Amino acid sequence: MKIQPVKTAIVVCGGISDLYLSTMINKFKILDVVGGYDRNPAKVQAKAEKYGIKSMTFEEILADPSIEIVVNLTAPTGHYPVIKQLLEAGKHVYTEKVMTVELEHAAELVKLADEKNLYLGAAPDTFLGSAIQTARYVVDSGMIGEITSCYCVLTRDSEIFSRAFPFTAKPGGGIGFDVGIYYITALLSILGPVKEVSGVVRTHKPERKNYAPENFGESYAIECENLMSGILHFECGTVGNLLFDANSIFTAPERPAVALIGTMGIVSIQDPNSFGGDVKVILKGNNEPFTMQQSHAFSDECRGLGVADMAWAMRTGRKNRASKEMAYHALDVLHGIVKSSETSSNQKLQSTFEKTPPIPRGYSGQTFFEFVEEFGIAL
């Protein structure tokens, strides 16, 4: 049978839209990107000319019956109202992370999508890349035994990021909700749901001074967390530790520490904010790790991979891998850590999700035929 491409549009044409548009247009035949919207007409017009798409109003996107998926690239605080309008208009939606800032808003959207029988997916989709899929293969194969613990550590400099990306000083833009979500999603995709969390969340020095020449000496506030530490108790029995600190230093490339520790070995992931990167394994009886060959596809920058996977899911009648249930559970983990910090108590999570199958092996490294990697997410 012939598979019809899924007509797709984007909402908001900010910096990250180039990554999405380039991937969706150039890497996936299942997607037919036809239009975009931004409140700034000049922005959307520039993208329209660059990528050969139509400049549209939000109302035109809502009213166009041919557009099936809308990719929401608004800032986190805008996610809830935009996604709600799109779902109410009968659109399948894929959104940038996190699904919403508030947990109750996310629950409402999940329920609405279920009621209207619509797909709702959410970034991050880096867990679909070669590195995390390879790490999952190592774990699922039993190579490193039973996973007893795991940890993630990341440092950043919030003053640099708040100047370059002002939304990182606003609710939903803190190091836990904006960046830690990559790490949490990676662990969830490999280990499954979390049953209980505890943690400490702080906003260190919330009042800051701006040292940019155009705003020199002006005060601004950090309105979100810049320090988060958490303990995760997974349903599978694994215990995880998280530490995200935006009051330290930023390096380029970033040098996070991410590892899953098993009874027969340890697997380390280079950076869950990337699709590729080395996967290191050290097995019991050895002193030095080896670099695991990549067992899966999508090692390059591929924002929008989750959109393509959702489009294939729509056409083949399966569940999308970057599912609303996992996205909601990841948000539940973050809010659980926040509540634990506020109440000085462990928090049992009420949500759960069903792990979706990994991307099939055998589609990586084939660069002679452009369509080969896409076959993996068709299944």
Side-chain angles (χ1 to χ4, degrees):
M1 71 177 172
K2 183 177 180 180
I3 299 290
Q4 286 295 120
V6 179
K7 290 191 181 296
T8 305
I10 69 165
V11 171
V12 175
C13 298
I16 201 170
S17 65
D18 282 304
L19 296 178
Y20 272 86
L21 288 167
S22 178
T23 294
M24 294 191 298
I25 291 170
N26 298 319
K27 291 189 176 183
F28 298 110
K29 295 182 182 300
I30 192 63
L31 297 174
D32 178 15
V33 183
V34 296
Y37 159 74
D38 194 282
R39 285 180 297 181
N40 184 335
K43 279 188 177 182
V44 67
Q45 187 59 40
K47 303 302 179 188
E49 293 173 2
K50 182 176 180 179
Y51 295 102
I53 62 176
K54 183 180 178 182
S55 173
M56 305 178 72
T57 66
F58 188 59
E59 290 71 25
E60 286 173 336
I61 291 174
L62 291 174
D64 189 334
S66 71
I67 294 174
E68 297 181 70
I69 292 178
V70 180
V71 180
N72 173 39
L73 303 180
T74 59
T77 52
H79 285 186
Y80 168 68
V82 170
I83 297 170
K84 186 174 181 180
Q85 288 181 78
L86 292 168
L87 291 174
E88 288 175 337
K91 305 299 183 185
H92 305 282
V93 181
Y94 183 90
T95 186
E96 249 300 290
K97 42 72 184 172
V98 288
M99 185 186 294
T100 62
V101 175
E102 301 300 334
L103 191 62
E104 59 268 28
H105 286 163
E108 181 185 340
L109 296 178
V110 169
K111 181 180 179 183
L112 180 59
D114 283 338
E115 290 173 347
K116 297 182 77 67
N117 197 29
L118 293 168
Y119 280 85
L120 172 58
D125 55 5
T126 47
F127 76 94
L128 298 173
S130 63
I132 297 171
Q133 290 292 305
T134 297
R136 178 171 175 177
Y137 170 67
V138 169
V139 171
D140 289 352
S141 71
M143 185 186 303
I144 61 171
E146 179 187 359
I147 308 301
T148 53
S149 63
C150 58
Y151 64 82
C152 304
V153 179
L154 172 69
T155 66
R156 279 188 170 182
D157 182 341
S158 62
E159 291 193 357
I160 292 175
F161 277 85
S162 60
R163 289 200 297 271
F165 308 103
F167 81 91
T168 62
K170 303 295 183 182
I175 192 167
F177 281 72
D178 182 54
V179 191
I181 188 72
Y182 289 96
Y183 295 74
I184 292 169
T185 301
L187 295 178
L188 294 178
S189 72
I190 297 171
L191 297 172
V194 173
K195 64 178 181 180
E196 188 175 24
V197 302
S198 60
V200 176
V201 178
R202 295 285 184 268
T203 303
H204 180 67
K205 293 185 178 178
E207 297 299 324
R208 303 291 178 99
K209 292 287 186 181
N210 200 317
Y211 294 105
E214 62 273 17
N215 305 107
F216 188 82
E218 293 180 8
S219 296
Y220 71 96
I222 303 291
E223 301 175 43
C224 52
E225 81 287 347
N226 54 27
L227 177 62
M228 176 181 285
S229 177
I231 298 176
L232 311 183
H233 300 255
F234 289 85
E235 288 183 9
C236 65
T238 304
V239 175
N241 285 274
L242 311 174
L243 178 59
F244 308 126
D245 190 345
N247 302 285
S248 184
I249 62 170
F250 168 72
T251 60
E254 292 186 317
R255 294 175 175 83
V258 184
L260 292 98
I261 300 166
T263 54
M264 297 298 292
I266 299 170
V267 60
S268 300
I269 306 167
Q270 189 167 318
D271 184 359
N273 197 1
S274 299
F275 289 85
D278 287 345
V279 177
K280 302 278 190 178
V281 178
I282 182 167
L283 298 177
K284 190 171 185 176
N286 295 273
N287 294 317
E288 295 297 329
F290 65 88
T291 301
M292 183 74 184
Q293 287 190 340
Q294 301 282 300
S295 61
H296 286 75
F298 307 113
S299 59
D300 298 329
E301 170 56 52
C302 211
R303 257 74 176 179
L305 172 55
V307 184
D309 177 79
M310 191 168 83
W312 276 109
M314 290 164 54
R315 290 294 185 255
T316 59
R318 63 167 172 84
K319 192 173 185 62
N320 59 315
R321 291 179 170 92
S323 69
K324 63 184 184 298
E325 290 84 6
M326 185 168 73
Y328 178 82
H329 189 68
L331 187 63
D332 198 9
V333 168
L334 286 164
H335 276 279
I337 294 172
V338 171
K339 190 170 182 180
S340 172
S341 180
E342 292 172 346
T343 61
S344 300
S345 64
N346 291 359
Q347 296 296 309
K348 294 188 182 297
L349 302 187
Q350 301 303 311
S351 68
T352 189
F353 71 98
E354 183 179 346
K355 268 200 311 181
T356 52
I359 291 177
R361 294 177 59 213
Y363 297 90
S364 58
Q366 304 297 324
T367 57
F368 296 104
F369 304 101
E370 62 177 356
F371 57 84
V372 170
E373 284 197 334
E374 188 171 1
F375 278 180
I377 58 170
L379 305 175

